[in-house]
């Protein structure tokens, strides 16, 4: 078994361990800590700062705004379906292949992400619940560089991954609740599409497969009644992609790959639960 395949198997084993260890922590009855409702919906908005970097080659920084929603089922078993759409503009700092510096502002970026999560609520005390979870997620990003510069081309990013995390929720005496979420994102596969025909009509659009990487997430949730405040951080680190052939009117001219990259998003979510 390859080393990187072993790491994915170990991550899944860790997720199973989280669920198993949670049963040991469940020293109180399930009736001691319960959610306000078995079924709940959430609608909210996000504001974040994002930085995408290919170390030594380029970086893009900007601000994203988004709207998202979720449905959650809680009855000892937890199931959650959630999605978010975000739009923003980023500034590019890098260079052309001949080394000429290139800076481009106000590039439109779009992100769509959908996730399904399943877990189990373990009461740790009369006021605190621990919920380990695992699921499946899909993330899509479109970077419309071609509309901002004659040297640019559109880029599409697709990630398929499994969120593996643990969430706490503690009810405070003043009517507030506080929670902490820590998550590891097990990266299964990715596909990058570079629309090189935007730059030169004779070029083909190149697809590169990505097989290795990981994501990390963390957030703090503050809730009073139905109002939720949640600062968060989300991070991706993706290895070099598999190579693909760039052609010019059908003739091979170069080998293209997606370089190692990372992205960091720090933001705030405001939401209403009903």
């Amino acid at each position: 078994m390859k080393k990187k395949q072993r790491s994915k198997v170990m991550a899944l084993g860790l997720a199973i361990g989280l669920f198993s260890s949670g049963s040991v922590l469940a020293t109180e009855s399930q009736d001691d800590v319960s959610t306000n409702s078995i079924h709940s919906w959430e609608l909210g908005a996000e504001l974040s700062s994002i930085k995408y970097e290919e170390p030594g080659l380029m970086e893009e920084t900007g601000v994203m705004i988004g709207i998202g929603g979720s449905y959650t089922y809680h009855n000892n078993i937890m199931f959650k379906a959630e999605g978010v759409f975000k739009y923003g503009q980023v500034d590019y700092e890098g260079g052309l292949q001949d080394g000429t510096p290139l800076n481009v502002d106000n590039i439109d970026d779009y992100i769509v992400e959908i996730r399904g999560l399943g877990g189990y609520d373990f009461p740790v005390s009369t006021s605190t619940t621990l919920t380990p979870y695992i699921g499946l997620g899909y993330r899509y990003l479109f970077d419309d560089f071609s509309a901002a510069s004659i040297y640019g081309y559109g880029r599409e990013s697709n990630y398929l991954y499994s969120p593996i995390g643990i969430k706490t929720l503690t009810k405070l005496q003043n009517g507030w609740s506080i929670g902490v979420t820590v998550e590891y994102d097990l990266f299964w596969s990715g596909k990058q599409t570079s629309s090189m025909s935007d730059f030169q009509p004779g070029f083909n659009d190149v697809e590169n497969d990505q097989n290795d990487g990981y994501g990390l997430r963390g957030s703090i949730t503050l809730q009073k009644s139905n109002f939720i405040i949640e600062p968060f951080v989300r991070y991706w680190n993706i290895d070099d992609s598999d190579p693909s052939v760039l052609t010019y009117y059908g003739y091979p001219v170069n080998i293209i790959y997606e370089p190692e990259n990372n992205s960091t998003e720090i933001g705030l979510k405001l939401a209403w639960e009903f």
Side-chain angles (χ1 to χ4, degrees), residues 20-33 120-130:
S20 301
S21 61
S23 60
V24 177
L25 294 173
T27 57
E28 306 291 335
S29 71
Q30 292 292 340
D31 294 333
D32 290 336
V33 180
Y120 198 86
D121 297 326
F122 295 103
V124 179
S125 69
T126 55
S127 60
T128 300
T129 304
L130 186 69

Side-chain angles (χ1 to χ4, degrees), residues 203-224:
F203 287 151
N204 64 312
D205 294 338
V206 177
E207 293 187 349
N208 293 102
D209 293 328
Q210 295 170 306
N211 300 306
D212 299 298
Y214 65 92
L216 299 171
R217 293 187 180 210
S219 65
I220 299 174
T221 303
L222 299 171
Q223 181 171 356
K224 187 168 187 178

Side-chain angles (χ1 to χ4, degrees), residues 126-144:
T126 55
S127 60
T128 300
T129 304
L130 186 69
T131 307
Y133 64 85
I134 190 170
L136 188 65
Y138 169 73
R139 179 180 184 267
Y140 171 84
L141 182 148
F142 177 63
D143 182 87
D144 195 11

Side-chain angles (χ1 to χ4, degrees), residues 48-88:
S48 61
S49 171
I50 193 168
K51 178 179 179 180
Y52 170 86
E53 182 180 21
E54 295 173 3
L57 298 176
M58 57 80 74
E59 68 176 41
E60 288 183 335
T61 56
V63 174
M64 306 291 292
I65 57 174
I67 184 170
S70 67
Y71 162 76
T72 305
Y73 172 86
H74 270 286
N75 190 17
N76 297 342
I77 294 174
M78 184 278 289
F79 170 76
K80 185 174 186 177
E82 60 185 359
V84 64
F85 168 79
K86 290 183 280 191
Y87 164 77

Side-chain angles (χ1 to χ4, degrees), residues 7-273:
S7 66
K8 292 183 178 181
V9 172
M10 290 174 63
L12 285 176
L14 176 61
I16 295 171
L18 284 174
F19 283 86
S20 301
S21 61
S23 60
V24 177
L25 294 173
T27 57
E28 306 291 335
S29 71
Q30 292 292 340
D31 294 333
D32 290 336
V33 180
S34 61
T35 56
N36 294 330
S37 175
I38 292 177
H39 306 278
S40 63
W41 299 82
E42 185 181 302
L43 183 64
E46 295 183 3
L47 178 66
S48 61
S49 171
I50 193 168
K51 178 179 179 180
Y52 170 86
E53 182 180 21
E54 295 173 3
L57 298 176
M58 57 80 74
E59 68 176 41
E60 288 183 335
T61 56
V63 174
M64 306 291 292
I65 57 174
I67 184 170
S70 67
Y71 162 76
T72 305
Y73 172 86
H74 270 286
N75 190 17
N76 297 342
I77 294 174
M78 184 278 289
F79 170 76
K80 185 174 186 177
E82 60 185 359
V84 64
F85 168 79
K86 290 183 280 191
Y87 164 77
Q89 290 189 322
V90 297
D91 299 334
Y92 173 93
E93 183 177 343
L96 302 177
Q97 286 190 342
D98 63 3
T100 303
L102 178 65
N103 297 309
V104 180
D105 294 338
N106 302 324
I107 302 168
D108 291 331
D109 265 22
Y110 305 86
I111 296 176
V112 177
E113 191 161 11
I114 55 174
R115 292 154 49 102
L117 308 174
Y120 198 86
D121 297 326
F122 295 103
V124 179
S125 69
T126 55
S127 60
T128 300
T129 304
L130 186 69
T131 307
Y133 64 85
I134 190 170
L136 188 65
Y138 169 73
R139 179 180 184 267
Y140 171 84
L141 182 148
F142 177 63
D143 182 87
D144 195 11
F145 202 167
S146 63
S149 172
I150 59 172
Y151 298 107
Y153 51 88
R155 296 174 64 252
E156 295 181 63
S157 170
N158 298 269
Y159 293 170
L160 183 65
Y161 66 95
S162 283
I164 303 171
I166 193 164
K167 180 176 182 178
T168 67
L169 179 65
T170 300
K171 294 181 179 180
L172 307 177
Q173 294 181 351
N174 57 7
W176 285 88
S177 296
I178 185 170
V180 177
T181 301
V182 179
E183 178 180 301
Y184 174 82
D185 293 323
L186 179 63
F187 185 78
W188 291 115
S189 65
K191 184 180 291 292
Q192 299 289 321
T193 301
S194 301
S195 300
M196 302 300 293
S197 58
D198 292 341
F199 176 69
Q200 169 56 255
F203 287 151
N204 64 312
D205 294 338
V206 177
E207 293 187 349
N208 293 102
D209 293 328
Q210 295 170 306
N211 300 306
D212 299 298
Y214 65 92
L216 299 171
R217 293 187 180 210
S219 65
I220 299 174
T221 303
L222 299 171
Q223 181 171 356
K224 187 168 187 178
S225 185
N226 299 93
F227 182 59
I228 299 169
I229 304 171
E230 185 176 299
F232 63 83
V233 59
R234 299 164 186 166
Y235 174 79
W236 284 102
N237 188 303
I238 309 297
D239 290 348
D240 291 342
S241 73
D242 293 340
S244 290
V245 178
L246 176 68
T247 64
Y248 185 68
Y249 290 109
Y251 292 94
V253 294
N254 207 346
I255 300 296
I256 300 293
Y257 73 98
E258 188 74 11
E260 176 187 358
N261 61 82
N262 61 77
S263 64
T264 304
E265 184 180 9
I266 300 173
L268 179 69
K269 182 177 79 172
L270 302 177
W272 186 261
E273 185 181 64

